[in-house]
Amino acid sequence: MERKFKEALAHRRSYYALSNKSLVSNEEIEEIVKFAVKNIPSAFNSQSTRVVLLLGDQHTKLWNIVKDTLREIVSAEAFKSTENKIDKSFASGYGTVLFFEERMIVEGLQKSFPTYQDRFPVWSQHTSAMHQLAVWTMLEDAGFGASLQHYNPLIDEAVAKEWQLPETWELIAQMPFGAPLQEPGAKEFNPIEERVRIFK
């Protein structure tokens, strides 16, 4: 059931116990991703965000890449808990959304508007963050649980090679999702008065 926007935002949480079940069709998942990419704003209407949706075996392949990469740099003892976390929290899900930013667009804006050249990489990150929140919220509204992970830049080269992605696509985040197996714990909030100031 689709919620009101405020309800959807309040309900969005990080889910780490996922199953590989889906309550909606793959086409509906694709529509969520496409809707976000089309409608989320970007600085100078740069439309710099790129998204890859991995389902089925392609989703599993990503998390095998993550494990293979970490196995090379983490001690054997530490890798046991790392592998367990990946298998039960991320790889066990239904799919993964990969968020990228197109560096060529950002660099082009830096050249065209040198006054703001230091800001464009920052604004690019803002754009990616908005896409992440929108996709995350809509996935949850469709019945999924999701979380946001950052195994980049460790996996960047392997991901680009596996899915033949342009070298100029910079990996920003990974969002595994699936049917939630358990509710997240209670969320704590710092006093809103410390975080918002209002002047009338």
Side-chain angles (χ1 to χ4, degrees), residues 53-63 65 96 162-163:
L53 174 61
L54 302 175
L55 300 172
D57 292 342
Q58 300 299 310
H59 157 77
T60 302
K61 189 178 294 183
L62 170 75
W63 295 104
I65 287 173
T96 302
E162 178 62 40
W163 287 282

Side-chain angles (χ1 to χ4, degrees), residues 89-159:
S89 296
F90 313 140
S92 61
Y94 186 77
T96 302
V97 184
L98 302 180
F99 296 89
F100 299 81
E101 284 293 298
E102 173 55 89
R103 287 195 304 268
M104 284 188 65
I105 291 179
V106 177
E107 292 169 1
L109 287 168
Q110 289 177 302
K111 293 176 182 177
S112 297
F113 303 95
T115 302
Y116 302 112
Q117 63 179 341
D118 293 340
R119 306 309 301 161
F120 283 112
V122 177
W123 293 338
S124 170
Q125 294 289 328
H126 294 175
T127 296
S128 182
M130 288 189 283
H131 282 77
Q132 294 163 33
L133 177 62
V135 171
W136 196 346
T137 303
M138 287 191 288
L139 283 174
E140 186 148 337
D141 215 30
F144 291 110
S147 68
L148 193 66
Q149 303 304 315
H150 300 90
Y151 286 98
N152 47 294
L154 297 175
I155 62 172
D156 291 18
E157 185 175 342
V159 166

